[in-house]
Amino acid sequence: MLDINHAIESLDWGKEPEGLYAPIAYALASGGKRIRPTLALIASEMFGGKEEEVLPAALALEVFHNFTLLHDDVMDRASVRRGRPTVHVQWDDNTAILSGDQMLIEAYKLIAKVPSDKVQRTLEMFNEMATGICEGQQYDVDFERRDDVRIEEYMKMIELKTSVLLANALRTGGYIAGANEAQQEALYQYGLHIGLAFQIQDDILDVYGDPKTFGKAIGGDICCNKKTFLLLTALHTADATSQAELNEWLRISDRNEEKIAAVTAIYDRLGVRKAGEQAMEEHTSFALQQLNQLPQNQATDRLRALAEKLATRNK
């Protein structure tokens, strides 16, 4: 399969004004799993597609994903991304916003390079995905101000904010390569549920992961009272005593090792880790079932292996 990193490096950002394009090159050179363009290429391979036909869409998805990260980092005031200063720290907020805007435009320019008879539908799917991600981000912002968020609402938020990009990558790759509508839907559902499992696992790792392999300090979500699968499960299943204790700790908003230990102990007592692992397994299982509706070849095997790997990851 094509080396996606080489393809990304081949994109030309040596343009003027440098202040607009240099941050884009910086963001795209910072690494990452490249899972979204890789999924598009795998789906295309599954149906015997040509790499050169799906590559522009695959690159568009990666550029778009990194555009969202530039803006997210400004909104979250994040200082580090993939081990390096975020764009708004390396430059400034205005640069991160404007360069992010240009990345979005560059993504659309890449979409325009897919085969002409596939452009309209590819663009429709891309727009549907982009709208969903913005809606998911807004829900995430809204949830910060709410104390009554339900688990169902949280799952919808992460579906929009995280999963639809994975799902659309697969559906787009399959579509360009000639998959029929039922096969496109199976690819989409696989990506959707893998994304949900991935985020639940991320919630679990933030509390129970090993800092040496997870790549960041454990307990960050607890410190900032972030709405996660674990916290919402705890809030909705706790007895009166545990509820009062948990609410007391939630009043503390700074990084506090005592708070992390206390909230983790409440999670242990309520069994929320097990609930998270069960939900993760259910979504992974559903995703794997979708693969039965697709051609069985090496590409399908790669998606099967990916699902199993994500379910057992430790970082």
Side-chain angles (χ1 to χ4, degrees):
M1 177 178 286
L2 180 86
D3 182 349
I4 194 66
N5 280 312
H6 178 71
I8 291 170
E9 291 167 3
S10 298
L11 294 172
D12 179 19
W13 305 115
K15 308 175 185 177
E16 295 293 335
E18 181 181 350
L20 178 66
Y21 294 103
I24 297 176
Y26 176 86
L28 288 171
S30 63
K33 299 179 178 67
R34 310 300 194 199
I35 188 171
R36 294 148 192 89
T38 299
L39 288 176
L41 291 171
I42 291 174
S44 173
E45 178 188 326
M46 183 183 297
F47 293 92
K50 299 178 180 178
E51 286 184 342
E52 64 270 20
E53 292 186 351
V54 74
L55 181 60
L59 293 174
L61 290 163
E62 185 66 9
V63 172
F64 176 86
H65 170 59
N66 281 272
F67 141 69
T68 67
L69 299 183
L70 260 66
H71 283 195
D72 282 356
D73 287 341
V74 173
M75 296 175 72
D76 296 341
R77 308 314 303 166
S79 59
V80 176
R81 168 74 64 180
R82 297 167 182 159
R84 301 201 303 174
T86 51
V87 169
H88 74 93
V89 171
Q90 187 75 3
W91 282 271
D92 52 47
D93 286 4
N94 289 343
T95 297
I97 293 168
L98 189 59
S99 292
D101 291 344
Q102 185 61 33
M103 290 178 82
L104 176 59
I105 296 167
E106 297 292 339
Y108 278 108
K109 288 163 69 174
L110 286 163
I111 290 291
K113 295 180 179 180
V114 304
S116 58
D117 61 331
K118 303 286 185 178
V119 169
Q120 181 174 342
R121 178 58 184 148
T122 301
L123 184 59
E124 289 171 354
M125 293 188 290
F126 189 87
N127 287 339
E128 177 187 329
M129 171 204 72
T131 295
I133 290 171
C134 289
E135 290 172 352
Q137 178 68 13
Q138 185 60 53
Y139 281 130
D140 197 16
V141 171
D142 292 345
F143 290 173
E144 292 179 6
R145 301 189 291 265
R146 287 179 51 192
D147 296 324
D148 60 345
V149 178
R150 294 177 287 110
I151 295 175
E152 293 80 7
E153 291 180 289
Y154 174 74
M155 295 303 294
K156 182 63 176 178
M157 183 272 288
I158 63 175
E159 174 183 316
L160 291 169
K161 187 175 177 180
T162 301
S163 297
V164 295
L165 187 46
L166 301 177
N168 188 64
L170 287 154
R171 182 172 62 179
T172 298
Y175 166 72
I176 293 174
N180 62 38
E181 290 188 9
Q183 292 165 331
Q184 291 174 44
E185 181 63 19
L187 285 166
Y188 191 86
Q189 290 299 321
Y190 167 89
L192 207 64
H193 287 271
I194 283 299
L196 294 173
F198 181 92
Q199 185 57 56
I200 294 171
Q201 177 76 321
D202 207 54
D203 290 352
I204 294 171
L205 288 173
D206 191 85
V207 178
Y208 294 103
D210 182 345
K212 294 179 181 178
T213 55
F214 189 43
K216 60 182 179 179
I218 298 302
D221 291 345
I222 290 176
C223 290
C224 65
N225 299 335
K226 183 178 179 181
K227 304 296 190 305
T228 67
F229 187 92
L230 300 187
L231 176 58
L232 294 176
T233 299
L235 288 170
H236 287 83
T237 59
D239 55 30
T241 301
S242 296
Q243 185 98 41
E245 184 181 355
L246 187 54
N247 285 331
E248 188 66 29
W249 283 109
L250 291 177
R251 294 189 180 94
I252 301 173
S253 58
D254 59 343
R255 180 159 190 90
N256 184 304
E257 297 303 323
E258 185 181 3
K259 174 182 177 178
I260 294 172
V263 172
T264 301
I266 295 172
Y267 287 173
D268 292 342
R269 190 162 69 238
L270 296 174
V272 297
R273 178 179 184 175
K274 183 177 181 181
E277 290 173 343
Q278 181 178 344
M280 184 185 67
E281 290 170 3
E282 289 173 356
H283 286 291
T284 301
S285 177
F286 186 85
L288 288 169
Q289 290 174 27
Q290 306 311 302
L291 300 183
N292 296 331
Q293 305 176 51
L294 298 168
Q296 300 302 301
N297 52 37
Q298 289 185 343
T300 322
D301 291 341
R302 291 184 67 187
L303 293 183
R304 192 171 286 110
L306 175 64
E308 294 166 353
K309 180 180 179 179
L310 290 178
T312 58
R313 70 187 177 95
N314 58 8
K315 60 181 179 179

